[in-house]
Amino acid sequence: MVEVTVTPQSSLADRPVQIRVRGLSPSQLVTLRAWLKDEQGECFQSRAFFRADGAGEVDPGLHAALGGSYSGLWPMGLLWFLQPDTLFRRLVKRDVAGSPFRVRLEVWDGLSLGTDPREQPLASCEAERWYVGPGVQRVPIREGRVRGALFLPP
């Protein structure tokens, strides 16, 4: 049974996570896809192609991507190379304290470029990427023409 995991499952957006896929056949070619919807409902996604090692595992921190949104050894590449489905959109988090970005990770058999709604991924999981840590207080700043926010630690 194929399984994809993100450790830790919930983390701050600037912290590294480990993505691992287990249960594949040795040397199996797979596509890892990461995607999320921003607060306006716009979809951002990235994908990378990998060949499983002899134990049937893929770890983007140890195995180089063969192509896709990036190639080479990028442990956080699936999260760093998210691109919008609509041109000229930017991934911006407006409600930094209230909710995380929920990133969906999927494993597809072979080299998958599209998402056919009739097909199902081999495995999937979800990771939360927070922009403010627990207990951090956000204080709006308005002084003259200066606008901003002060984030105070707990």
Side-chain angles (χ1 to χ4, degrees):
M1 182 165 142
V2 178
E3 174 187 36
V4 59
T5 57
V6 178
T7 309
Q9 186 269 331
S10 183
S11 64
L12 290 173
D14 63 345
R15 301 283 192 237
V17 294
Q18 182 181 37
I19 300 168
R20 293 192 71 181
V21 181
R22 295 184 180 100
L24 300 168
S25 301
S27 299
Q28 181 177 353
L29 244 129
V30 293
T31 300
L32 267 65
R33 176 180 178 243
W35 65 274
L36 64 84
K37 287 198 178 203
D38 70 2
E39 293 157 332
Q40 280 73 43
E42 189 66 40
C43 187
F44 290 78
Q45 63 178 317
S46 65
R47 69 185 73 239
F49 311 129
F50 292 92
R51 185 174 299 282
D53 63 14
E57 296 185 359
V58 169
D59 181 343
L62 300 175
H63 305 111
L66 305 174
S69 301
Y70 66 96
S71 61
L73 190 61
W74 292 86
M76 297 287 294
L78 286 167
L79 302 176
W80 288 345
F81 290 96
L82 289 166
Q83 294 294 314
D85 284 354
T86 306
L87 292 177
F88 308 114
R89 298 287 185 165
R90 289 187 332 171
L91 184 59
V92 176
K93 183 71 171 137
R94 302 217 187 282
D95 180 17
V96 294
S99 64
F101 272 140
R102 286 182 167 72
V103 182
R104 187 94 175 145
L105 291 153
E106 300 170 340
V107 181
W108 297 84
D109 188 27
L111 302 178
S112 172
L113 295 174
T115 53
D116 185 345
R118 296 169 297 192
E119 292 184 29
Q120 292 294 318
L122 297 174
S124 64
C125 71
E126 190 172 85
E128 292 181 347
R129 302 292 282 171
W130 289 89
Y131 282 77
V132 175
V136 172
Q137 179 184 5
R138 181 182 188 274
V139 180
I141 304 295
R142 291 182 180 269
E143 185 68 35
R145 293 187 299 168
V146 175
R147 301 287 184 263
L150 173 65
F151 293 89
L152 298 171

